[in-house]
Amino acid sequence: MSESEHERESTQRHILLCVSGSIAAYKAASLASLLHKSGYELKCVMSSTAHEFIGPAALEGITGSPVYRTMFERPHEITHIALAKWADLIVIYPASASVLARLYAGGADDLISALVLANNGRVPVLIAPAMNSGMLAHPALQRNIAGLQEFGYEILPTEEGLLACGTAGSGRLLAPEVAAARIEELLWSRS
Ligand SMILES: Cc1cc2nc3c(=O)[nH]c(=O)nc-3n(C[C@H](O)[C@H](O)[C@H](O)COP(=O)(O)O)c2cc1C
């Protein structure tokens, strides 16, 4: 490796992209592509439900790394701790209502919740909710969002528009370009 390549490697910022079970999960591939083209190193986690919506192949092809799914696939490492230490920024894109509830409750039953808990606010956590507008408006969901903001996590806004369920309103996943711009802004402000 040349000196400049080595320098680039050691200064390259690590983004952990976590994908949960929303119909908008396919947009995670666009976000991964934008961040990869900007020179960031990415690792991806998909919840078991996210695998119902999209396969891991696109994310693996873009990032060049296998997608993580559970805490138990790699017996030689403690995956949730290793990923929490590796990340310079964690983004959950899209974040389901269910993952928001688990994060607020401090659960650790799945890889995404466990690694966010293990990271314990060491690096920025960006959360991009995506769901039906009724789900988003529910007081339980709003309480979870407010609680996560109190933990110091950044909740990205949703967009208004026609949702996959056929209703119009808020709850659409923030566009990948806008999410990528916010991620880059945050990483630059910390470098
Ligand atoms: C077709 C379909 C679309 C869904 N879209 C969403 C969604 O956009 N947002 C959401 O919060 N849940 C959505 N769900 C429900 C979640 O997939 C479900 O709550 C799941 O348990 C979330 O798992 P996870 O948080 O572990 O990824 C959808 C379910 C189905 C069947």
Side-chain angles (χ1 to χ4, degrees):
M1 193 186 286
S2 73
E3 205 171 307
S4 61
E5 279 172 332
H6 191 269
E7 198 172 305
R8 186 167 182 270
E9 173 97 338
S10 59
T11 56
Q12 204 172 26
R13 309 296 269 162
H14 295 169
I15 299 173
L16 188 57
L17 170 59
C18 301
V19 184
S20 62
S22 157
I23 204 155
Y26 70 94
K27 294 183 186 173
S30 300
L31 178 61
S33 174
L34 289 166
L35 295 171
H36 177 72
K37 283 182 189 152
S38 295
Y40 297 101
E41 193 178 336
L42 283 133
K43 288 187 180 179
C44 298
V45 175
M46 287 170 61
S47 72
S48 296
T49 313
H51 280 80
E52 300 282 343
F53 292 92
I54 56 165
L59 290 174
E60 293 185 337
I62 292 164
T63 64
S65 298
V67 163
Y68 294 76
R69 178 174 183 161
T70 76
M71 285 177 270
F72 304 103
E73 296 154 337
R74 294 166 175 80
H76 59 284
E77 66 175 25
I78 305 178
T79 303
H80 59 299
I81 307 294
L83 290 176
K85 284 185 180 163
W86 176 86
D88 293 312
L89 182 143
I90 298 168
V91 56
I92 307 177
Y93 183 98
S96 66
S98 169
V99 86
L100 293 174
R102 296 198 301 272
L103 292 177
Y104 177 60
D109 287 352
D110 66 293
L111 181 53
I112 297 176
S113 320
L115 72 87
V116 171
L117 207 57
N119 186 73
N120 191 23
R122 186 183 63 81
V123 302
V125 177
L126 267 71
I127 298 175
M131 67 200 65
N132 161 271
S133 41
M135 293 167 82
L136 184 63
H138 193 284
L141 201 288
Q142 289 300 315
R143 176 206 58 197
N144 294 344
I145 285 182
L148 291 169
Q149 284 170 325
E150 275 179 32
F151 293 163
Y153 306 156
E154 179 170 333
I155 309 292
L156 295 171
T158 58
E159 294 183 351
E160 299 257 341
L162 185 62
L163 303 173
C165 57
T167 48
S170 52
R172 269 168 65 97
L173 182 63
L174 188 68
E177 295 76 12
V178 185
R182 179 60 189 140
I183 289 167
E184 296 208 43
E185 191 178 59
L186 256 178
L187 285 172
W188 274 105
S189 72
R190 291 168 61 88
S191 59

